[in-house]
Amino acid sequence: MLLLISPDLYNEVFEIIDSCTFAAKSISPTMWQAFELIHATFKAGAELYLEDMLPALDNFVQYGAAHLVQTPQYLEAMFGMVQDMFADEKVGGVDRICACKLAEGIMLSLRGHADQYVVAFVSYSRPICHRCMLNIHRSKWQCGP
């Protein structure tokens, strides 16, 4: 269960992790432990903070690509976060955009090592794109030329 912690505190913690990993341009063993905590926090109900987590997660993908390849459970955790964002009904558009950005980072930074996730990433976005296209089509039809 997610503890009632100020959203500002989450934001600050994720910002510190982002700054440390970006400045180092590498992911230390201590930061991989921080990743495990980020993932546990996400799974415990903090998925609505993905927007705040994204810069740090992107650094884990970009600067820790080799370790992600060697540690499949971390790569699976990243994939699971994207998957959860599309499966959760309470998640809004901004959060799904963040999930798409995370998926994009995984595909670009782990070329050849994340191919098994590409079809799933595309399939998650397809229903949403389809709904958007239907809404656009309906609004044109209702509003006229």
Side-chain angles (χ1 to χ4, degrees):
M1 181 90 181
L2 181 67
L3 297 174
L4 295 176
I5 298 176
S6 165
D8 292 336
L9 179 59
Y10 279 123
N11 188 357
E12 293 301 320
V13 169
F14 298 136
E15 217 171 277
I16 290 168
I17 294 169
D18 171 39
S19 296
C20 290
T21 54
F22 182 79
K25 303 285 192 262
S26 66
I27 309 298
S28 69
T30 301
M31 283 295 129
W32 283 114
Q33 290 174 350
F35 171 75
E36 291 175 9
L37 294 173
I38 290 171
H39 183 253
T41 302
F42 177 91
K43 288 297 199 178
E47 69 277 355
L48 297 178
Y49 295 99
L50 184 63
E51 186 175 9
D52 296 327
M53 293 176 191
L54 184 62
L57 291 173
D58 190 51
N59 288 346
F60 281 103
V61 171
Q62 187 173 355
Y63 303 123
H67 191 72
L68 283 170
V69 169
Q70 296 171 357
T71 316
Q73 66 266 27
Y74 287 166
L75 184 53
E76 190 64 33
M78 291 276 191
F79 170 74
M81 293 169 89
V82 173
Q83 184 178 38
D84 289 351
M85 296 307 288
F86 283 93
D88 193 335
E89 293 296 321
K90 69 182 175 224
V91 171
V94 171
D95 297 310
R96 287 200 173 113
I97 289 169
C98 290
C100 288
K101 288 179 180 180
L102 181 56
E104 177 185 28
I106 291 168
M107 289 185 288
L108 291 175
S109 294
L110 300 171
R111 286 188 181 138
H113 300 285
D115 294 350
Q116 68 272 27
Y117 302 118
V118 174
V119 172
F121 288 152
V122 172
S123 70
Y124 297 150
S125 61
R126 181 191 269 152
I128 293 165
C129 291
H130 183 69
R131 278 196 306 262
C132 289
M133 294 304 289
L134 286 176
N135 288 340
I136 290 169
H137 180 69
R138 283 185 195 131
S139 60
K140 283 184 180 180
W141 184 73
Q142 292 171 348
C143 297

